[in-house]
Amino acid sequence: MAAYRILRGWVALFLAGYFVFGFSALLLPRREVFPVSSWSLFALVPGQESRYALRLLEAGGKKLAEPVLYQEAEGLVVDPHSVAVREIVQQFGLAVERGRIQEQLRIRRMLERDHLPSPCRYELVMITYDPLVRWRTGRYEVRPMAQYASPGETP
């Protein structure tokens, strides 16, 4: 019986602590600290987001009628929805933005060797969008950052 009271006390203490910590997480910018929930499901509306992306201008030696984002390049690249490529492109964009030449060259070699059709001409772009607007309309803004040609030259 004593063990039951001790267990009941610890469970009550845990639940009270979880409750207090959950509500105090509302003071944080993201309003949650995993795995503690603040019980505010969908309380935050996503704002404007920016991501780096690759836009193909030529693929396999053929000039494209319209530039195509890598993630929309079905039939031009092996896996247009690759999460690995998405992460590599984010690293590439940061390297370009921060002026890290050696890192840019290393990432470009990897992208051109493993993920882009050869020969190709492409550009690194910054895509800015509101997630809800993009989901509803497909609309987003594109800002070109740099243009490249494989293997390894900058036009």
Side-chain angles (χ1 to χ4, degrees):
M1 188 68 162
Y4 173 71
R5 281 192 211 131
I6 292 172
L7 179 62
R8 193 175 65 184
W10 279 109
V11 169
L13 184 65
F14 171 77
L15 290 175
Y18 190 89
F19 184 76
V20 168
F21 190 69
F23 275 110
S24 65
L26 288 172
L27 302 173
L28 299 172
R30 300 288 288 173
R31 298 189 176 213
E32 284 194 355
V33 177
F34 183 80
V36 180
S37 173
S38 61
W39 302 282
S40 58
L41 189 60
F42 304 121
L44 295 177
V45 177
Q48 192 174 48
E49 291 188 22
S50 295
R51 300 211 188 283
Y52 301 106
L54 294 181
R55 191 161 61 172
L56 301 176
L57 306 171
E58 291 179 17
K62 297 177 187 170
K63 185 173 171 102
L64 302 175
E66 296 253 338
V68 177
L69 290 174
Y70 185 92
Q71 63 263 26
E72 297 170 356
E74 297 281 347
L76 297 173
V77 296
V78 176
D79 186 7
H81 306 292
S82 169
V83 174
V85 172
R86 182 183 175 281
E87 293 303 316
I88 292 168
V89 170
Q90 299 314 302
Q91 293 173 8
F92 185 40
L94 279 174
V96 169
E97 197 169 283
R98 294 179 180 163
R100 297 179 180 160
I101 304 299
Q102 293 302 320
E103 189 176 353
Q104 290 176 41
L105 292 173
R106 179 185 61 78
I107 294 171
R108 278 188 61 202
R109 276 190 224 111
M110 183 175 36
L111 275 171
E112 291 172 3
R113 180 189 68 225
D114 299 337
H115 302 289
L116 292 172
S118 183
C120 77
R121 202 163 57 85
Y122 60 98
E123 61 185 348
L124 177 68
V125 297
M126 171 73 79
I127 296 178
T128 305
Y129 59 94
D130 180 308
L132 295 176
V133 172
R134 187 173 183 187
W135 178 67
R136 287 183 188 135
T137 66
R139 200 173 52 219
Y140 53 87
E141 294 175 22
V142 176
R143 180 178 57 96
M145 295 179 67
Q147 206 172 96
Y148 304 97
S150 68
E153 309 99 32
T154 302

